[in-house]
């Protein structure tokens, strides 16, 4: 089947934080692309909201500039761009007072029967005020959906506070907690791989899998986000959400249907089965790092402390490696090694399922070279799936073995670019499909597991291990896995 565009119902999408970085980089480019491909129907409107004192014309100019910066020129079609800009409106609202809400209400009053989505691309400090503002000003209709951007709290207590404040005025079915990793094509493909093929399920357990590795490596530093990042760190920024979601998709039982609650029930079970990491075992199971000045791709890059707004001291981690365990019958004893960091040598996100050795080699000394099978799911870049198999090296000279990948490259197989995760997720909001969004109990369970790690780190008071930008993190991260007689995956291809 080739891909096809299914138009969504007309909607009003109100973007709080409409002049912010996320809106510029991700939301407007994604909406533009969906509009260009004919997925948005008239008379859908997109309403930017912020405290800025802009009029509609200035807002459109602002969005046009953002599109020119973040959408490649060859994708910017003049007619599509004009149509898209025509959908845009702007209202100045102060989330913390009554200012501007009536203007917003008046603007969308004629769209009562449309899907009405509010995207909260703001700091989470404003989620409570905005949700209550929507309620107070009678903006919530039966077709209302509210999207919450991460970070959803900085620990369990703050996440619960946000969730409760929002639940005062909205039902769980109206709340879309976004984790953009779930919108990535390859992440969804993980589910296709597992549940649309018969091959993998019988070997997807501790009897056949030796361990799992999940790596999300970035070359970027903290860019202009130092203020946020320094209060967050890699565990809160990447592990508590994106990486645990990936782990859940690898480890969960097959859901009874590809439907929001079945899927989320299964992910929740995994989160609840994670072995606690606390002061008693945190040293052996986790590594924190922070980058120092170094070079990536031949270019010198500053250290973390130099990238912070007021170059001070900081003990925030920009790298985490840890060994997790899912305490279920399926996964008992199988380590899940997670690793993420900024300023690593290359941008790569991948999941590696490392299978066990064959139970017995029948090949005599030639069998010494048998490597166990490995399934590598590459999320980005060069999306694809590789299954490493042992084959006989062709030609004379005795029985020699070689490890060769069956290589499914998405770029070669499907041509054309993959849509951005936000394109898919925004359309799911309009369609009312919550499958790829996190439920309250999932987010809170993830914090329940992360909190004791953060507490243990802070109680032990150990500074993060330094690593040079452009390397794969501190040497302690290598030791973490090598202690178990294993190594981090490196793609030989
Ligand atoms: C965000 C984090 O959620 O994900 C960032 O806050 C990180 O720090 C980003 O850079 C990574 O997303 P992607 O899609 O570029 O892998």
């Amino acid at each position: 089947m080739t891909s096809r565009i299914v138009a969504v119902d007309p909607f009003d999408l109100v973007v709080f934080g409409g002049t912010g970085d996320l809106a510029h980089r991700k939301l407007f480019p994604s909406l533009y692309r969906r509009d260009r491909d004919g997925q948005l129907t008239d008379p859908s409107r997109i309403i930017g909201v912020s405290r800025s004192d802009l009029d509609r014309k200035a807002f459109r100019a602002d969005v046009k500039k953002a599109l020119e910066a973040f959408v490649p020129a060859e994708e910017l079609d003049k007619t599509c761009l004009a149509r898209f800009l025509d959908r845009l409106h702007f209202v100045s609202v102060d989330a913390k007072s009554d200012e501007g809400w009536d203007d917003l209400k008046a603007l969308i009053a004629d769209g009562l029967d449309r899907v009405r989505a509010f995207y909260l691309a703001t700091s989470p400090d404003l989620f409570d005020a905005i949700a209550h503002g929507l309620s107070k000003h009678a903006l919530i209709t039966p077709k209302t959906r509210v999207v919450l951007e991460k970070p959803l709290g900085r620990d369990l207590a703050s996440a619960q506070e946000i969730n409760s404040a929002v639940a005062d005025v909205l039902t769980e079915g109206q709340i879309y907690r976004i984790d953009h990793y779930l919108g990535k094509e390859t992440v969804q493909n993980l589910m296709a791989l597992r549940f649309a093929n018969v091959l993998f399920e019988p070997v997807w357990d501790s009897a056949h899998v030796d361990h799992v590795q999940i790596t999300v490596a970035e070359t970027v530093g903290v860019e202009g986000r130092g203020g946020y990042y320094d209060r967050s760190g890699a565990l809160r920024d990447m592990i508590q959400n994106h990486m645990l979601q990936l782990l859940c998709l690898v480890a969960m039982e097959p859901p009874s249907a590809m439907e929001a609650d079945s899927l989320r029930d299964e992910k929740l079970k995994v989160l609840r089965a994670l072995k606690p990491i606390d002061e008693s075992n945190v040293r052996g199971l986790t590594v924190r790092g922070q980058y120092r000045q170094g070079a990536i791709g031949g270019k010198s890059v500053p250290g973390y402390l130099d990238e912070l707004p007021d170059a001070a001291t900081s003990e925030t981690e920009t790298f985490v490696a840890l060994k997790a365990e899912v305490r279920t019958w399926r996964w008992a004893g199988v380590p899940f090694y997670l690793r993420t960091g900024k300023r690593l040598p290359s941008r790569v996100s991948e999941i590696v399922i490392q299978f066990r050795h064959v139970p017995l080699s029948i090949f005599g000394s030639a069998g010494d070279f048998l490597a166990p099978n490995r399934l590598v799911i590459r999320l980005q870049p060069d999306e694809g799936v590789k299954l490493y198999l042992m084959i006989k090296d062709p030609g004379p000279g005795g029985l020699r073995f070689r490890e060769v990948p069956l290589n499914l490259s998405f770029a070669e197989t499907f041509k054309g670019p993959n849509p951005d995760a936000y394109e898919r997720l925004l359309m799911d909001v309009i369609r009312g499909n919550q499958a790829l969004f996190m439920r309250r109990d999932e987010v809170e369970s993830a914090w329940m597991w992360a909190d004791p790690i953060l507490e243990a780190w802070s109680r032990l008071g150990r500074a993060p291990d330094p690593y040079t930008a452009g390397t794969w993190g501190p040497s302690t991260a290598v030791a973490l896995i090598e202690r178990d007689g294993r190594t981090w995956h490196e793609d030989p291809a």
Side-chain angles (χ1 to χ4, degrees), residues 150 180-181 184 218 225 237-238 242 342 347 380:
K150 72 175 274 254
H180 77 279
Y181 266 60
K184 291 185 189 274
E218 298 184 278
R225 300 162 73 228
D237 187 51
M238 295 297 290
H242 306 323
K342 302 232 179 249
R347 176 173 180 254
Q380 62 192 24

Side-chain angles (χ1 to χ4, degrees), residues 201-404:
E201 185 54 23
V203 293
W204 211 257
D205 59 21
S206 61
H208 300 89
V209 173
D210 176 75
H211 73 276
V212 175
Q213 296 183 17
I214 305 179
T215 295
V216 176
E218 298 184 278
T219 51
V220 291
V222 290
E223 318 287 280
R225 300 162 73 228
Y228 149 75
Y229 194 88
D230 199 50
R231 273 177 279 114
S232 171
L235 192 96
R236 290 190 177 93
D237 187 51
M238 295 297 290
I239 302 248
Q240 185 273 346
N241 37 74
H242 306 323
M243 300 202 49
L244 281 190
Q245 286 293 319
L246 297 179
L247 183 151
C248 284
L249 295 179
V250 172
M252 71 184 182
E253 295 300 316
S256 55
M258 190 50 202
E259 171 272 323
D261 276 333
S262 307
L263 188 60
R264 300 189 294 180
D265 286 346
E266 294 309 331
K267 287 194 287 160
L268 180 66
K269 286 183 207 160
V270 175
L271 291 167
R272 289 191 172 152
L274 284 172
K275 177 176 158 179
I277 301 180
D278 55 26
E279 212 173 323
S280 67
N281 55 3
V282 76
R283 280 180 224 259
L285 299 180
T286 69
V287 168
R288 326 164 62 213
Q290 189 187 77
Y291 60 85
R292 299 282 179 265
Q293 193 269 330
I296 301 179
K299 217 177 123 225
S300 159
V301 293
Y304 176 68
L305 296 179
D306 306 321
E307 284 198 309
L308 290 182
D310 16 59
T313 56
S314 165
E315 301 218 325
T316 299
E317 78 283 355
T318 60
F319 176 98
V320 173
L322 60 83
K323 179 177 167 184
E325 223 179 284
V326 181
R327 294 163 68 105
T328 59
W329 273 34
R330 186 191 282 268
W331 294 115
V334 177
F336 284 69
Y337 298 99
L338 272 47
R339 169 174 71 151
T340 185
K342 302 232 179 249
R343 294 282 191 223
L344 300 186
S346 54
R347 176 173 180 254
V348 52
S349 299
E350 66 185 12
I351 299 172
V352 179
I353 313 291
Q354 176 71 63
F355 291 96
R356 291 189 185 279
H357 281 279
V358 290
L360 174 85
S361 168
I362 58 167
F363 301 107
S365 60
D368 294 348
F369 300 99
L370 290 184
N373 299 131
R374 209 169 349 137
L375 178 68
V376 179
I377 302 156
R378 176 67 78 100
L379 309 179
Q380 62 192 24
D382 313 328
E383 290 92 337
V385 177
K386 282 184 186 172
L387 177 60
Y388 287 85
L389 302 173
M390 292 311 294
I391 57 137
K392 177 194 165 297
D393 219 359
L399 199 53
R400 287 164 289 112
F401 292 98
R402 199 198 308 182
E403 189 184 33
V404 186

Side-chain angles (χ1 to χ4, degrees), residues 1-2 185 189 383-384 408-418:
M1 263 203 293
T2 51
E185 281 287 320
N189 240 310
E383 290 92 337
L408 169 62
S409 150
F410 288 9
E412 277 168 31
T413 310
F414 302 111
K415 316 283 184 241
N418 269 338

